[in-house]
Amino acid sequence: AAEEAGLGYDMARNEEKANNMFNRWVTGKQTAIAGGPKGRRPYLASECRDLDQADKWRQEILREIGKLVMEIQNEGLGEHRLRDMNDQINKLTREKHHWEKQIIKLGGPNYIAQGRRAMDEAAQEGFVDGMDQRGERGGGPVYRYYGAAKNLPGVKELFQKPEKRTVRRTRAQMYRNIDMDYYGMRDDDDGVLIKLEAEATEKARAEAVAEWEAEQARREADGGKRRRQQEEDDFEALTGGFKAYVPLPDNKDIEALVLAKKKKDLLAKYTSPALQEQEAEAKAMLNKQ
């Protein structure tokens, strides 16, 4: 029985060793696939002299930043936790910037310029998450706020634009730019204003004279009408409203009588009696007066 027990123990021990060896082999295989053993990231980017390693550390920092940015969107984490996470994101961002500068020194791609272009394009599309304290795009020493950290007490006030105040100018400020030109004391120096004033004065005088003459003509017309009306009224008052019941000759009749009288006088002066008798006979025959 003791031998059987010892044999069972040896078999269990051998199986455990085999499992440990298999686990070590799997771990080594995974490490080889990942590119070698995972070491600790150097504290200073300048200590790294391998371009591939520097790029690997940069990618690792990007993964950590992405994970924290996703977690910081949760507003239920609390103020202190959100502030710590935001500080950590900014710390990793600065570290990423150092690694990108080191990659440039080692002859690698310029991730800084690429990041700026991507940030500009995202800003135009409105997909940038985070606000920096100076109102500029992130990167370098600029401190940015991400996710729910933008709504923390004291953070909103940093990004609120102050309202424009209309400052009233003091009396001294208003009088500061007032000189002789403001009161028009030197307007006649160039002679232009004098010429314009003379033309305007002449025009105004002509208009005033024309208006006065028109007014005088109107008054005279109104005065003549009033005088004629007054004479007629006075005549009617003197005659007591006399009314003629026989036809009275008008101006045309009077002019015709005067003309006939003058014609008769001329004929009597320059014609002989015989000629006058013949003319009278002819009128009698023609029934003319």
Side-chain angles (χ1 to χ4, degrees):
E3 291 180 357
E4 291 179 358
L7 182 59
Y9 176 78
D10 291 338
M11 293 178 61
R13 181 66 176 172
N14 293 334
E15 184 178 358
E16 182 179 357
K17 289 180 180 181
N19 290 333
N20 289 335
M21 291 180 64
F22 179 75
N23 291 334
R24 287 197 298 271
W25 180 85
V26 172
T27 302
K29 187 67 174 178
Q30 292 178 351
T31 302
I33 294 174
K38 184 178 179 181
R40 184 176 181 181
R41 187 167 65 234
Y43 182 75
L44 297 176
S46 58
E47 296 178 355
C48 181
R49 303 299 180 184
D50 187 3
L51 179 60
D52 295 335
Q53 288 292 323
D55 191 80
K56 186 186 72 172
W57 298 130
R58 176 184 174 276
Q59 294 295 333
E60 181 180 322
I61 294 173
L62 286 175
R63 287 192 292 271
E64 293 179 6
I65 292 175
K67 182 180 178 181
L68 290 173
V69 169
M70 292 180 61
E71 293 179 359
I72 203 173
Q73 307 298 327
N74 186 6
E75 296 183 358
L77 295 177
E79 178 180 353
H80 298 289
R81 176 62 177 161
L82 289 174
R83 291 187 183 275
D84 292 341
M85 292 177 66
N86 198 79
D87 292 341
Q88 184 66 20
I89 293 174
N90 281 273
K91 179 182 178 182
L92 290 172
T93 302
R94 290 192 297 269
E95 187 175 355
K96 178 180 72 70
H97 185 73
H98 295 319
W99 281 104
E100 289 174 350
K101 291 197 298 184
Q102 181 65 17
I103 290 173
I104 295 174
K105 291 180 180 179
L106 297 175
N110 188 354
Y111 291 112
I112 299 176
Q114 297 177 8
R116 287 176 180 173
R117 287 195 296 270
M119 184 68 71
D120 292 338
E121 294 175 359
Q124 293 177 359
E125 299 293 335
F127 297 127
V128 177
D129 182 20
M131 298 182 299
D132 60 75
Q133 199 167 4
R134 296 189 314 192
E136 303 169 355
R137 59 171 173 256
V142 180
Y143 190 88
R144 294 176 61 86
Y145 292 89
Y146 298 87
K150 295 183 290 186
N151 300 323
L152 292 174
V155 177
K156 278 187 175 181
E157 291 76 3
L158 293 175
F159 307 104
Q160 290 179 352
K161 296 182 178 180
E163 298 180 357
K164 293 183 178 180
R165 295 178 53 192
T166 303
V167 182
R168 296 185 60 183
R169 295 188 300 172
T170 62
R171 187 179 297 272
Q173 291 175 344
M174 290 188 291
Y175 284 152
R176 185 175 301 167
N177 297 325
I178 294 178
D179 52 8
M180 296 179 65
D181 294 332
Y182 177 81
Y183 295 101
M185 294 182 178
R186 293 185 291 196
D187 293 345
D188 302 338
D189 294 348
D190 53 0
V192 176
L193 184 60
I194 297 176
K195 182 179 179 181
L196 295 176
E197 287 180 350
E199 294 176 356
T201 303
E202 189 67 24
K203 182 180 179 181
R205 184 180 292 112
E207 292 177 354
V209 170
E211 184 179 356
W212 180 82
E213 291 177 349
E215 182 66 20
Q216 288 298 113
R218 186 183 62 80
R219 288 182 180 180
E220 291 178 359
D222 294 342
K225 290 180 181 179
R226 286 196 297 269
R227 283 195 300 271
R228 286 193 297 271
Q229 185 66 31
Q230 185 66 31
E231 291 175 355
E232 293 176 359
D233 294 342
D234 293 343
F235 177 77
E236 291 180 0
L238 290 174
T239 57
F242 175 76
K243 184 176 181 181
Y245 292 94
V246 295
L248 297 176
D250 55 4
N251 294 334
K252 292 183 178 180
D253 295 337
I254 294 173
E255 291 178 357
L257 291 173
V258 172
L259 182 61
K261 181 68 171 56
K262 290 182 178 180
K263 184 177 179 180
K264 185 177 181 181
D265 294 341
L266 291 173
L267 290 174
K269 184 177 179 180
Y270 295 104
T271 58
S272 61
L275 185 60
Q276 293 179 3
E277 290 178 0
Q278 292 177 2
E279 184 180 358
E281 290 176 359
K283 288 183 178 180
M285 292 176 65
L286 296 174
N287 293 325
K288 288 186 178 182
Q289 299 295 332

